């Protein structure tokens, strides 16, 4: 069952993996970022979100900022070990903080079109109608497991259902080649998680993912 979700915000930073130190954003939201927004609102082991289209509603505008980041983070395993009194590495953020430049997107506005597939972890009581009902109810109430964001937590997402009877229209006409873009991560082998890429393009401001050719 398909859904249309309108999302917008003051900024976004969908970091290109080849420029992760001095961060530079992709031109538009990646499919994995769109999936992350949907999962932040509603996710269940018995379903798997698949993003079909992303319509870019606002013109693509970049801006630059300098952000304070820490060079290292504490892993959940280390934190758990320390909670049990087994010791571990202590990180003082004042010693590891670094200033880095970031090129981000300003005034972003998208419409995500997606559907979900049922997985073998769905119970007998689960059904597509049940999941779509829960999702729509949570969107209407603004509920989410954690607040979704556009790439970085500094850029929170506002969201609502696309209620216009007309299909969303992109901000421009014509074709725009965006080059290779991160599609998602391949988690099928937990010991060897791989990034997946695809050749992204906008046609009349719409990125169609239904027949995206994915490569690793």
């Amino acid at each position: 069952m398909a859904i249309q979700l309108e999302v917008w915000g003051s900024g976004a930073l969908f970091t290109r993996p080849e420029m992760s130190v001095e961060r530079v954003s992709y031109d538009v939201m990646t499919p994995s970022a769109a999936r992350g927004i949907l999962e932040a609102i509603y996710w269940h082991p018995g379903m798997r979100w698949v993003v079909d289209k992303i319509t870019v509603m606002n013109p693509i505008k970049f801006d630059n900022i300098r952000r304070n980041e820490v060079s290292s983070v504490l892993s959940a395993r280390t934190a758990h070990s320390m909670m049990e009194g087994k010791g571990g590495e202590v990180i003082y953020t004042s010693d590891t903080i670094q200033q880095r430049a970031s090129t981000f997107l300003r005034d972003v506005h998208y419409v995500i079109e997606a559907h979900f597939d049922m997985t073998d972890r769905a119970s007998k009581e689960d059904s597509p109608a049940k999941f779509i009902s829960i999702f729509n109810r949570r969107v209407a109430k603004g509920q989410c497991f954690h607040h979704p964001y556009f790439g970085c937590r500094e850029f929170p997402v506002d969201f609502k259902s696309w209620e216009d009877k007309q299909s969303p229209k992109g901000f421009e006409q014509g074709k725009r080649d965006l080059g290779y873009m991160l599609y998602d991560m391949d988690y099928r082998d937990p010991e060897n998680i791989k990034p997946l890429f695809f050749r992204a393009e906008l046609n009349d401001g719409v990125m169609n993912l239904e027949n995206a050719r994915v490569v690793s």
Side-chain angles (χ1 to χ4, degrees), residues 142-162:
Q143 294 177 322
C144 47
F145 294 126
H146 63 84
H147 199 98
Y149 51 88
F150 287 120
C152 291
R153 294 187 185 276
E154 293 97 321
F155 301 122
V157 173
D158 292 316
F159 61 87
K160 67 175 184 177
S161 293
W162 176 257

Side-chain angles (χ1 to χ4, degrees), residues 103-190:
T103 301
F104 69 103
L105 295 164
R106 187 158 49 86
D107 297 329
V108 295
H109 189 180
Y110 307 103
V111 175
I112 302 169
E113 298 182 47
H115 69 278
F116 59 82
D117 297 328
M118 302 295 287
T119 72
D120 56 7
R121 299 175 67 186
S123 68
K124 294 181 180 178
E125 292 75 25
D126 295 330
S127 68
K130 173 186 172 182
F131 288 154
I132 201 70
S133 176
I134 294 173
F135 178 80
N136 288 334
R137 187 170 65 246
R138 290 176 68 85
V139 170
K141 294 182 178 180
Q143 294 177 322
C144 47
F145 294 126
H146 63 84
H147 199 98
Y149 51 88
F150 287 120
C152 291
R153 294 187 185 276
E154 293 97 321
F155 301 122
V157 173
D158 292 316
F159 61 87
K160 67 175 184 177
S161 293
W162 176 257
E163 298 173 348
D164 198 319
K165 295 181 180 178
Q166 302 293 324
S167 297
K169 293 184 178 180
F171 74 99
E172 66 177 3
Q173 297 294 307
K175 181 177 178 180
R176 181 190 291 233
D177 186 359
L178 302 175
Y180 277 95
M181 175 183 285
L182 178 68
Y183 182 81
D184 212 326
M185 304 299 290
D186 185 354
Y187 294 101
R188 289 177 294 182
D189 181 0

Side-chain angles (χ1 to χ4, degrees), residues 75-104:
S75 69
R77 179 178 298 177
T78 301
H80 187 72
S81 175
M82 295 177 70
M83 288 171 60
E84 295 179 339
K86 298 179 181 177
E89 183 183 1
V90 177
I91 296 176
Y92 299 98
T93 55
S94 58
D95 295 336
T96 60
I97 202 164
Q98 297 178 351
Q99 264 206 344
R100 290 175 177 168
S102 296
T103 301
F104 69 103

